[in-house]
Amino acid sequence: MQIKPRQHVLDIWRAVARHSFDDGKPVREDLDGLSSVADAERLLCLLYPATEVPALRLDRPDTTERDVLRALEGVGSRLEIPPRLIAALSQFMHGHTGPDGSPTFAGGHYFRPAGPQQELTHEQYQLGVVDSYSMSVTLCLATLGFLKVYEPGTTRPEVRKAIGELREATSTRLTAAMISLLRSFTVDVFDAESEQGQRLIQIIGQGRPSDRAVLQQFSRRFRPLRATIIESLSRGVQVDEDIRDESWLFECGWAWGVVKDTPTVTDLDVQVPGQPDGIADRLPYVYFTVIALDGIQDLFSDRTLTLGLLDADQQKLAEALRLRWELSQQYWSAVARFGSGRWPLEDLPWQTTGLQLESEYFSLTVAAILVHDLVRRKATDDDLTRTVALMERLADRGRVTSRMTRNDPAVELHGPGVAMPLAGSERSGGPLQWRMTDFSAQLLKRTVQLAELSRNTNAQDRLLRLSEQVFEHLWDRRIEDGEGAGLWDHARALHPDARGDRCLSWSITERVIECLVAARNLYEQQPIRSPELAQLARDLLSEATHLLGREQLETPADADGSRGRAMRSMESRLDRARSLVDDRPATAFALALPVLQELDTLAQARGAAAQEV
C-alpha cells in the first residue's frame, strides 16, 4: 500500500474532527481528562501536520486548501477553524493546571496497576511522566508557532485576547515541561560485579572475550562520555561519585518521571511554580529515553529557530537538554554497536539490565535511539545497511510482515502490549506499570526516518518497501465503525488472538500522524542520484545534441511548419534534460531518449528521400 501523506492525513483529520468536535466545540471526554498525555496526543493529531506541512497549514485562513476545509468541516469554516483550535488548546492548558497555577503532567489512565487487585488512587493518576513532558514540548512549540503566524492576520478583539492568554499559558507549560525533562534525566552507576553489571557485560560482550576484556573495552570506549558527565552535568541531576571510577559501569538516559532527590531548577530569570518532588528510581529506560529524544529535538528544529519561539530561560534549558540529548544518543548507539563483530542489538530480543526484561519492543526502542544517532552523525553505508536488516527482522518477528501462527507469543506486542514496571512508583502507594502497544507505529516511524536518511539506492528501496508493508498493516487496524471510527486501534482486525477489544488509542493515532509527516519530508527530498546513470544520461545528451545540430543544418533557418516546431521541441527538451542531469539523472535520461528516437526517424526519412531521388 503506497503511503500518500496528504490524502491519509486528511482521512485522519476527518475522523478526528467527527470524534472531537460537536458543532465546532471541542468535546472533552472523561477518560481523556485524566491524562495530559492522551489530551496532548489528540491535539497534536491536528496541530502537528498543520504546522509542519505547508500544504496543510491552518494559520493563514486565506491560503487554506479546499480539500483541507472539506476534511475539517466538522470543526468549522475557513475563518472559524483557527479560533476553535485556539479554544481547544486553551481548554487543554487550563485543564491541566494545578490549584497553585502550575502546569500538571498527569499520566492518568495510561498508568496501570501492577496487580489485579490494586486500584489506583487519585494521587497516582496525577503523577507526572516523561511521555507528558515530551508531548507538551512538541505541542507547546506547535502552538506558539501557530499563534505567531496567525495573530498578525486577525483583528477580532476577543480572538486577540484569547491568543495572548494562550501564549502566556503555553510558554509557562513549555518551561515547566523542559524543567521536568531535566529533572527526569539520570545516570545510573553500578559495580561490574553486581547482577546489573554482569547483565550489561553479557549483552555487550556477546560471549566472546572475557569479562575483564569487555570491561576494559567499555572503559576506553566511554571515557569521553564519562568525562563529559563528570564535568558538564550540573543542572537538575545528581551523579554518583563512583562515576569517576573506570572499573564501574554506567547507563544514562531518562527515568519514567522526575527522579527521587533530584534538586529543583532555580537559576532562571522567571521562576516557574510547581516543581514537585520526584519518586522515580535512578534508572534509565530506553523507552522513555526515546520519547524524550523525540520531544527535545523539536527545540532545535528549523521552525523553532526561525520563528524565535524560545525565550531566554527556555534557551538556557534547551542547551542543558541538548547536552543530555547528545549524551544519551551517543551512549545507547555505542552500546547497540559495541565491539567489532556482531552488534549487541542484532542479538534479538534486547535485554534490559535494571529491570531484567526482554522483548522485541526493547530492541525497537534501542534501534530508535540508534536511528536518532545515525541521523545526527550522517551514518556510514555499513551502519545503515545493518540497521535496515535489523528493521526487516523486527517486522518479521513482530508478525507485521509475516503471518501470525497459532498461540504466537508475538501477539503480545500488539495486544495487550508490553508491560513495563515503573521503578520507584511504589512510593506513591503501590507499584505501577506502563504498557506499550505501539510497536507497529514505532517501527513505521523509524523505518521512514531511515529512508529519509539513506542515500543508497538499494537500502532506500528496501526501506520504502518495508514502510509500505508496515503502513498497510497499520491502516488495516483502524476502527471501522462506532466510537473512534477511522482512528486506531483494532489489533484484533489482523490478530484475532490479541487480547482486548477495539479501543480508541490517541497514542497510536498520533504516532501514525508523525509517520505521515516524516513520509512527506522523505518525498520532499531530491531523489537519490546514481553516478552511473548520470554518466549515461550525459552520454545520451552529448549524442543527441550532436545529432540535433546536424539535423538543424538540413532544416531551413526560417522553417515554420511541423518540422520547425519539432526542432524547437527537441531543443527545449534537451535543455531541460541538461538542467536536471546533476540532480535527477533518470529524468534527464528519460527526456533525452525520445529525442534520439525522433532524430533517428528524421534521419531515416531523409535517407529514404535521397534514395528515391
Side-chain angles (χ1 to χ4, degrees), residues 345 347-350 359-368 390 394:
L345 184 55
D347 184 15
L348 303 177
W350 185 265
S359 169
E360 281 77 9
Y361 192 97
F362 299 128
S363 297
L364 179 59
T365 53
V366 176
L390 177 68
L394 286 171

Side-chain angles (χ1 to χ4, degrees), residues 549-564:
R550 177 189 294 175
E551 196 64 40
Q552 287 172 333
L553 290 175
E554 305 294 332
T555 303
D558 57 350
D560 194 21
S562 59
R563 187 178 180 86

Side-chain angles (χ1 to χ4, degrees), residues 404-408 411-412 415-416 491-492 494-500:
M404 189 78 70
T405 60
R406 186 182 298 275
N407 299 321
D408 198 324
V411 74
E412 297 288 325
R492 295 183 68 179
L494 288 182
H495 309 305
D497 292 338
R499 281 186 280 160

Side-chain angles (χ1 to χ4, degrees), residues 112 119 148 160 264 269 288 331 362 364 370 384 410 429 463 480 509 531-532 568 608:
R112 305 291 178 89
E119 291 187 6
K148 191 150 193 174
R160 295 184 71 87
T264 58
D269 295 334
F288 291 109
Y331 176 86
F362 299 128
L364 179 59
L370 176 59
L384 188 61
L463 288 164
E480 293 184 355
T509 302
E532 296 81 7
R568 290 190 292 272

